[in-house]
Amino acid sequence: MSEKTLVEAINECFHVELERDDSVMVMGEDVGRAGGVFRATAGLRDRFGPDRCVDTPLAEAGILGSAIGLCMAGWRPVCEMQYDAFSYPCLDQLITHVGRYRWRTGGAMEFPLTIRMPYGGGVRAPELHDDSPETYYVHTPGVKVAIPSTPADAKGLLAAAIREPDPVVILEPKLHYRTMRGEVPDGEHVTPLGKARVAREGSDVTLVAYGSMVPLSEQAADELAGEASVEVLDLRSLKPLDEDALLASAAKTGRVVIVQEAPRVAGFGAEIAAILAEKAILDLRSPVLRVTGYDVPYPYWQIEDAYMPSVERVTDAVRKLLRF
Amino acid sequence: MAQVLPDERELRRVIGDGDTIADGEVEGLGEQELVDLYRSMVVLRTYDERSVVYHRQGRIGTYAIFWNHEAMQAGSVYALDRDDWVFPSYRESAIGLLRGMPVETVLSWWRGHPSGWWNPLDYNVASICVPIGTHVPHAVGLAWGKKLRGEKTVAVAYFGDGATSEGAFHEGANFAGVMKAPAILFCNNNQWAISTPVSAQTAAETLADKAVGYGMPGVRVDGGDVLAVYEATREAVERARAGDGPTFIEALSYRAAPHATADDPSAYIDMERVEEERQNECLGRYARYLWRIGVLTDELEEQIRGEALQAMKDGIAAAEAEPSADPELVFRHAYVNPPPSLSEDLAELKRVLGNE
């Protein structure tokens, strides 16, 4: 174990996985010479060469489209999309091919590619550097999605994605790339997909969150100390989803608030709420609430704090449920 | 190597018109090879003509016709090695027949039956790409990936004139140039994207001109001349294998049939021009050439056509004999490790269907 920032943990994962499997390659904009705009891929080009850490043309659909062909040639490409909202051109390839190609081959071929990107707001950045696009990805059949909230999981989930035979999208909370430090297992470290984590035990209410909303939910739990015993469930993986953990926590507390940074309508929180309605209705003692971003374009950064789910909004939602 | 029109900005041709334009020849193609090419074209033509009939009879679904595209498909595939990869669009749906794919497989694809979805590794023929031009980066990625592994594999992506307007074409072509991928971008310019003429698709003088912007050679060839197509593709393959990177081939043709069985081109196309093209269609041109040089005989022609027709009859019979597909297949193949929710859905469906 050693203490690392979230982005250092990602970088270490790459060094371990490229060393372990010589079919793993990294590709994207500025990932080689610069080591990535957030330094997630630092040192890879020097260590593994320009063919395994490839500076590509500035073309997100080209990156993902050629990654499909690279899979067919036996590679396991890890594609970096430089920012959340810059990934949208790659959705064409993702929806029309990545999630479908194995199915088209009658299960004969595998497309073990990984797409990773920094996501989320709170970083005082220009427009389209702040989005939470997980719904677009998780809604696409044939594609898996994971979102770490700690340095250890950033390393472990990325390793799981790289080793997974199915395509996986990893969204990394850029807000915490450098501000969050944590103990990270050295060497090979895999966090299996589809296993949620109880970030904090509690008995009165469950906060369901992922990515940067996990530490926020933990702050809200601190704020509520003495008032309510709050459980924080870190989903880690949206697809496959750990329904057992979700239902167990809902059964334990009977009250659920879903905290999601993305806009509300048809967001992943709606999926969680629907599952609770279908499978946990008799365990619930109150309505399921969502604290989310709003259905507007991500705002100017001087007022972005009014958009982001906050400790105040989360504690307010919890208190509503306690009063219900 | 003899060419009637050697300047690559002009249309490369080998086959003459039997009158004022003399026939050329392609070095390395003997009588056997010339007959092989003819057989390939007849297989494709027979497949296409019978498919239109099968559609009218309700035996296959909507079908994208490729009549008069056979020279482009047969000529280019013949220039490849078996290890080389083919990335077809729906216009090349039957191109796998040239790699030994059974007729019933392709017919089953058009029948929407799961047995029509083949394993690309069996033929080095990728899945049919339905959205326009989005497979260009796949072919480029495969070619690049093979090159990184030290293999000599070439990959060809087939697409139409309309595809050159797509972003995926641009990104794929640009990647090919930058990565010096051993890829061939084969554009069958039949001058129509459903009802949109190529003049409304681009302001470029020729589609081959686009290659300049990607740092690769752009070659123009008469797409109705199977020998010219073969020769141009062979040169592109040699360039790719020598490590000199990709080539853009613009094969100029004319869509002398509807876009698909659901299309009525009389609403937008000059039918006189279509009739002219039908008189000069590629299989007839090649057959007349073979007759002129004394390779084709009545017996040979009859035998090749008879075999192709029989293969179609056997193929449709086999496709129609396929047992109904198991609805459980809905849940299979998308994932190696499916999310648990899918097994719940399958159990629910089985219960509702009474197959529990």
Side-chain angles (χ1 to χ4, degrees):
Chain A
M1 290 286 238
S2 44
E3 198 184 82
K4 289 193 166 53
T5 65
L6 200 141
V7 77
E8 285 168 350
I10 291 164
N11 183 252
E12 188 183 63
C13 174
F14 274 126
H15 280 275
V16 171
E17 294 302 310
L18 266 75
E19 180 65 36
R20 185 188 63 82
D21 180 349
D22 62 13
S23 69
V24 177
M25 64 187 282
V26 174
M27 60 193 292
E29 296 153 11
D30 308 303
V31 299
R33 293 169 184 87
V37 293
F38 290 102
R39 314 293 295 157
T41 53
L44 298 177
R45 188 174 190 263
D46 285 345
R47 182 168 169 192
F48 299 102
D51 287 347
R52 291 188 62 207
C53 182
V54 185
D55 279 324
T56 65
L58 213 166
E60 294 78 15
I63 291 168
L64 190 52
S66 57
I68 291 170
L70 286 165
C71 289
M72 297 171 94
W75 292 92
R76 303 178 87 87
V78 185
C79 304
E80 176 172 306
M81 300 292 149
Q82 200 164 71
Y83 278 91
D84 34 57
F86 299 177
S87 75
Y88 299 146
C90 94
L91 283 168
D92 181 5
Q93 286 290 328
L94 185 95
I95 295 166
T96 58
H97 294 295
V98 170
R100 293 167 183 263
Y101 222 120
R102 172 182 164 78
W103 163 79
R104 277 184 200 134
T105 69
M109 294 184 84
E110 292 181 3
F111 294 84
L113 62 83
T114 302
I115 302 164
R116 50 167 288 276
M117 69 190 77
Y119 91 96
V123 294
R124 308 291 186 252
E127 190 192 357
L128 295 164
H129 290 66
D130 325 274
D131 281 10
S132 295
E134 66 271 16
T135 292
Y136 306 130
Y137 292 98
V138 79
H139 190 65
T140 304
V143 175
K144 297 176 176 175
V145 178
I147 307 184
S149 71
T150 66
D153 280 359
K155 181 178 179 183
L157 288 171
L158 178 58
I162 290 171
R163 298 178 187 200
E164 177 71 22
D166 293 316
V168 183
V169 181
I170 302 271
L171 287 92
E172 300 158 356
K174 72 166 91 67
L175 176 63
H176 298 304
Y177 264 162
R178 295 183 198 291
T179 56
M180 183 187 282
R181 304 183 71 85
E183 290 294 320
V184 178
D186 297 319
E188 292 192 30
H189 169 56
V190 179
T191 305
L193 299 174
K195 293 275 174 245
R197 174 180 75 97
V198 177
R200 177 170 306 204
E201 298 253 15
S203 53
D204 295 329
V205 61
T206 302
L207 299 178
V208 177
Y210 47 88
S212 60
M213 293 297 102
V214 174
L216 181 95
S217 298
E218 291 181 279
Q219 282 176 43
D222 286 342
E223 190 69 27
L224 290 160
E227 222 176 311
S229 163
V230 178
E231 177 143 306
V232 177
L233 183 68
D234 175 2
L235 292 179
R236 281 176 161 163
S237 160
L238 308 195
K239 189 166 59 175
L241 177 69
D242 190 347
E243 279 193 20
D244 291 345
L246 174 69
L247 297 174
S249 186
K252 182 163 120 188
T253 64
R255 299 182 187 90
V256 178
V257 176
I258 302 152
V259 188
Q260 159 198 306
E261 185 177 330
R264 172 171 303 200
V265 170
F268 195 72
E271 178 65 21
I272 297 296
I275 291 170
L276 292 171
E278 287 168 351
K279 300 184 176 173
I281 194 77
L282 296 179
D283 292 325
L284 294 175
R285 302 159 65 176
S286 69
V288 173
L289 292 186
R290 287 175 287 167
V291 176
T292 71
Y294 301 114
D295 291 308
V296 295
Y298 193 90
Y300 331 92
W301 62 257
Q302 290 217 1
I303 53 169
E304 68 178 322
D305 292 348
Y307 170 93
M308 291 277 277
S310 60
V311 170
E312 292 72 25
R313 285 174 61 199
V314 176
T315 52
D316 182 65
V318 169
R319 287 181 182 126
K320 269 187 207 162
L321 295 193
L322 294 170
R323 284 196 305 268
F324 181 79
Chain B
M1 127 179 23
Q3 289 162 24
V4 177
L5 292 169
D7 181 349
E8 289 191 339
R9 278 201 59 83
E10 299 298 327
L11 281 188
R12 176 191 290 229
R13 289 199 181 91
V14 174
I15 298 174
D17 65 357
D19 184 19
T20 53
I21 303 173
D23 288 325
E25 61 180 84
V26 178
E27 202 179 314
L29 289 187
E31 198 167 309
Q32 186 56 50
E33 289 79 22
L34 292 171
V35 171
D36 283 347
L37 266 172
Y38 177 74
R39 186 178 291 109
S40 293
M41 287 178 75
V42 170
V43 162
L44 292 173
R45 172 62 55 89
T46 311
Y47 179 91
D48 185 75
E49 291 185 341
R50 292 309 299 164
S51 290
V52 173
V53 173
Y54 297 152
H55 169 76
R56 287 185 185 139
Q57 294 171 338
R59 302 164 86 179
I60 66 171
T62 300
Y63 170 68
I65 302 161
F66 60 77
W67 200 89
N68 201 34
H69 293 63
E70 298 88 346
M72 295 185 277
Q73 299 176 17
S76 55
V77 169
Y78 201 66
L80 304 177
D81 285 351
R82 181 58 176 75
D83 286 344
D84 295 330
W85 273 74
V86 168
F87 286 75
S89 80
Y90 55 77
R91 193 72 65 202
E92 292 82 24
S93 65
I95 204 163
L97 301 181
L98 308 181
R99 286 282 177 85
M101 189 183 293
V103 170
E104 56 266 34
T105 301
V106 191
L107 287 172
S108 293
W109 195 88
W110 289 106
R111 286 168 56 80
H113 190 285
S115 61
W117 275 255
W118 62 84
N119 176 3
L121 296 168
D122 287 346
Y123 311 100
N124 288 3
V125 176
S127 303
I128 294 169
C129 184
V130 175
I132 305 301
T134 52
H135 59 318
V136 174
H138 308 168
V140 170
L142 181 128
W144 170 31
K146 292 284 190 183
K147 184 178 108 168
L148 290 178
R149 293 201 170 283
E151 297 173 33
K152 290 286 184 188
T153 311
V154 174
V156 188
Y158 292 86
F159 50 90
D161 39 305
T164 63
S165 302
E166 289 279 5
F169 161 77
H170 163 68
E171 295 194 22
N174 190 51
F175 260 76
V178 170
M179 303 306 177
K180 263 187 173 295
I184 298 171
L185 277 51
F186 193 103
C187 177
N188 66 70
N189 176 7
N190 67 18
Q191 307 187 47
W192 291 92
I194 305 189
S195 65
T196 305
V198 69
S199 60
Q201 207 68 248
T202 179
E205 195 180 324
T206 75
L207 295 179
D209 284 350
K210 291 176 185 254
V212 177
Y214 304 117
M216 68 175 83
V219 179
R220 299 192 84 214
V221 59
D222 181 344
D225 181 336
V226 66
L227 297 179
V229 170
Y230 166 77
E231 193 178 51
T233 311
R234 190 174 67 180
E235 288 175 16
V237 168
E238 284 164 3
R239 245 192 311 272
R241 275 203 236 287
D244 294 331
T247 302
F248 180 93
I249 296 177
E250 177 189 1
L252 190 70
S253 169
Y254 197 85
R255 211 189 70 212
H259 154 70
T261 45
D263 175 40
D264 174 13
S266 67
Y268 56 80
I269 216 165
D270 174 1
M271 293 309 285
E272 275 181 37
R273 173 71 183 83
V274 169
E275 193 44 45
E276 194 181 303
E277 189 64 28
R278 292 186 78 87
Q279 295 306 316
N280 197 35
E281 55 82 20
C282 64
L283 179 58
R285 271 172 78 184
Y286 187 48
R288 291 192 293 278
Y289 169 86
L290 293 178
W291 276 99
R292 286 199 293 278
I293 64 169
V295 166
L296 209 53
T297 62
D298 281 331
E299 300 75 53
L300 190 55
E301 205 169 349
E302 201 173 316
Q303 181 206 331
I304 290 171
R305 285 172 190 265
E307 284 169 3
L309 195 58
Q310 190 57 48
M312 288 305 296
K313 286 178 180 163
D314 296 344
I316 191 72
E320 289 176 334
E322 278 287 341
S324 310
D326 184 346
E328 285 188 29
L329 274 176
V330 166
F331 297 93
R332 241 175 268 157
H333 302 324
Y335 300 90
V336 179
N337 302 314
S341 54
L342 277 188
S343 28
E344 276 178 44
D345 292 336
L346 172 59
E348 186 72 2
L349 179 69
K350 283 165 84 168
R351 188 184 61 76
V352 171
L353 293 176
N355 298 338
E356 214 168 0

